Amino acid sequence: MPPCARKPLDLTATSTMLVLCLCWGFQQVAIKMVADDISATLQIGLRSVFAALVLGLVLLRAEGRRVLGDGTLPAGLLVGTLFALEFLLLGLALRYTTASHAAVFLYTAPIFTALGLHLRHPDERMRPLQWLGIAIAFAGIAAAFLGKRETAIASAPDMLLGDLLALLAGAGWGATTVAIRCSALADARPAKTLFYQMAMAALLLCAWHAVSGDPAPVFSAPAIASMAFQCVVVALSSYLAWFWLLRRYLATRLSVLSFVTPLFGVIFGVLILDEPIEPSFAVGALLVLAGIVLVSGAELLSEKLRLRGR
């Protein structure tokens, strides 16, 4: 495949993305379930340590001393820092808001990805329908923020802060994707890209834990089970699959399927953590998801309309 070629979605991409969405939708719940034993930020830092060590060994075996000499180091440090910032914000958000809220606001990332790629990448200019989607998504964000009832605020006094941090984490994820697509990492091995991200997240999040005053971790049986899921499934397997997809398919087309993730996140949060869903948040979340679908699926919709018009 030529270095800049990106394919439309096929069955492999679609099925892989749905499995990834299921895993990602559960990760906020997995973190929240054992946050009393291990702080959310430290959980993410520890899983990043595991993934960075595994990936580092794989890369050393494959590339030897040339592992950092291929010109990707500056881009890798930038992308890794953005990735670490995203998950620091997410870890802090989960202290103040529910897993359901965090899932919805984190997965506004396709909106920020589309905006960034519109400005930086000529192949992914947005269409009028996508701009409409962005307007709808931000209307949904406003509804979710401004329509909170007193009962919701009373049960979680800092929920607004948590929601804002989760939204900023979504912006960080979008910025990370744009940085990958517009740098030397665009055609790098997925393992190399993920290594930079996990190494920086491990370094910065563990450093955050050391200076933040958070309590020492307690490795209870539930905490160990949650960490095993996060290390093996989320931090290693799912992200490798994600970057493998990014190398082969258009980012905006992949993102159209990611709207399923917050739905899974809300479902898991309600069923497992018994989290309440206030009406204003439900309306706002639906508007956000509708906007994401328009932004990410506008090109596919236009193609189908053209085919029908022939």
Side-chain angles (χ1 to χ4, degrees):
M1 184 189 304
C4 296
R6 295 295 189 276
K7 300 190 297 184
L9 297 185
D10 53 24
L11 181 60
T12 298
T14 302
S15 58
T16 302
M17 274 301 300
L18 288 176
V19 173
L20 293 182
C21 290
L22 185 66
C23 296
W24 294 339
F26 185 70
Q27 71 168 321
Q28 281 74 238
V29 175
I31 292 171
K32 192 86 170 177
M33 286 172 64
V34 297
D36 290 338
D37 293 333
I38 308 175
S39 69
T41 50
L42 183 58
Q43 288 183 58
I44 300 170
L46 291 176
R47 78 187 193 190
S48 300
V49 170
F50 169 82
L53 289 174
V54 173
L55 291 166
L57 291 174
V58 170
L59 290 171
L60 279 174
R61 182 177 180 180
E63 301 182 23
R65 297 181 180 179
R66 298 176 289 105
V67 65
L68 298 179
D70 59 356
T72 61
L73 181 59
L77 293 176
L78 171 62
V79 166
T81 301
L82 289 172
F83 182 85
L85 177 61
E86 170 200 340
F87 278 99
L88 173 61
L89 291 167
L90 176 62
L92 294 175
L94 287 169
R95 295 184 180 184
Y96 306 115
T97 192
T98 63
S100 303
H101 282 220
V104 170
F105 289 118
L106 175 64
Y107 286 91
T108 57
I111 300 295
F112 298 105
T113 298
L115 286 170
L117 289 176
H118 174 82
L119 296 174
R120 295 295 305 275
H121 207 286
D123 291 340
E124 306 218 33
R125 299 289 185 185
M126 288 199 297
R127 304 181 181 199
L129 190 60
Q130 290 175 297
W131 286 110
L132 174 62
I134 285 179
I136 292 173
F138 278 105
I141 291 170
F145 270 90
L146 301 178
K148 295 186 186 301
R149 295 188 174 185
E150 293 182 2
T151 53
I153 300 299
S155 63
D158 295 317
M159 181 178 282
L160 285 173
L161 173 60
D163 288 354
L164 177 60
L165 290 170
L167 181 64
L168 292 174
W173 186 2
T176 302
T177 303
V178 172
I180 291 170
R181 289 281 283 108
C182 299
S183 71
L185 292 175
D187 298 296
R189 294 176 59 189
K192 175 68 70 68
T193 301
L194 187 56
F195 169 74
Y196 285 127
Q197 291 180 297
M198 290 301 170
M200 291 300 294
L203 175 65
L204 296 179
L205 290 175
C206 290
W208 171 269
H209 176 76
V211 302
S212 66
D214 287 341
V218 176
F219 290 100
S220 63
I224 292 173
S226 176
M227 289 306 305
F229 166 77
Q230 293 183 60
C231 288
V232 178
V233 178
V234 176
L236 193 60
S237 304
S238 76
Y239 290 134
L240 278 174
W242 170 247
F243 292 119
W244 179 83
L245 290 171
L246 279 178
R247 289 185 65 193
R248 289 161 173 78
Y249 302 93
L250 289 172
T252 51
R253 295 196 180 191
L254 284 172
S255 297
V256 72
L257 295 178
S258 69
F259 83 95
V260 180
T261 301
L263 291 179
F264 287 141
V266 171
I267 292 170
F268 289 139
V270 171
L271 294 180
I272 298 175
L273 300 178
D274 198 26
E275 295 178 345
I277 300 296
E278 59 271 20
S280 61
F281 174 73
V283 172
L286 288 174
L287 288 173
V288 168
L289 296 179
I292 291 172
V293 171
L294 284 177
V295 169
S296 301
E299 187 174 353
L300 293 175
L301 180 60
S302 298
E303 287 182 4
K304 289 184 178 180
L305 290 175
R306 283 197 302 268
L307 291 174
R308 287 182 179 180
R310 288 182 180 177

